[in-house]
Amino acid sequence: TWSAATTLTLTAAAALTVNANISSTSATTGSTFISMTASGGTATTPGITIATGISVSAVGGNISLTGTGGTGGNSSHGISLVGTGSITSTNGTVALTGTGAGAAGSNTCHGISLASGSSVVSTNSSITMTGDAGEGSGGANSGIVSSATITA
């Protein structure tokens, strides 16, 4: 947690799993305060995972996540919100860009996968989600799969 009008940038050449809350409480608007970019590499893993019960939040700033799933096999989502994971911005945008990957014959490689119980919220601003399905021939590869609460 921090309150200065600064940006947290996380960039990973392999999977990025968020297992602790991240929170920017600055009231300054218009800046990107949380930015994450990751690729699952050659593993069978999402590019970015927000674990169950974990919150990524910003007050006044934008949140941007860009993830590409690993090329190892099934369930290689670009971005995955698990269980009750959440992304919340007040007075800032939320932008999610995910690309599913996987190996030949893999399935359920979604660009963005939002589990039941998870949430994406942007108060007083917008949410943009762009998801590209994985190219595995196993089927059930979708750009965006959501059972989450999405509120803008």
Side-chain angles (χ1 to χ4, degrees):
T1 299
W2 72 99
S3 61
T6 57
T7 300
L8 170 67
T9 301
L10 302 174
T11 304
L16 172 62
T17 301
V18 180
N19 285 318
N21 294 332
I22 297 173
S23 178
S24 168
T25 59
S26 173
T28 305
T29 59
S31 297
T32 298
F33 287 148
I34 300 171
S35 174
M36 298 181 200
T37 303
S39 170
T42 58
T44 301
T45 183
I48 298 173
T49 301
I50 308 299
T52 191
I54 298 303
S55 172
V56 174
S57 63
V59 175
N62 303 324
I63 299 172
S64 173
L65 275 64
T66 302
T68 301
T71 58
N74 298 338
S75 300
S76 294
H77 313 307
I79 298 170
S80 181
L81 259 69
V82 180
T84 57
S86 67
I87 299 171
T88 305
S89 182
T90 303
N91 298 322
T93 62
V94 174
L96 305 179
T97 304
T99 303
S106 61
N107 58 33
T108 64
C109 296
H110 311 306
I112 299 172
S113 177
L114 308 175
S116 176
S118 66
S119 62
V120 179
V121 177
S122 179
T123 304
N124 301 322
S125 197
S126 63
I127 298 170
T128 303
M129 291 189 221
T130 305
D132 291 323
E135 296 182 15
S137 61
N141 297 311
S142 300
I144 300 172
V145 173
S146 177
S147 297
T149 300
I150 301 172
T151 307

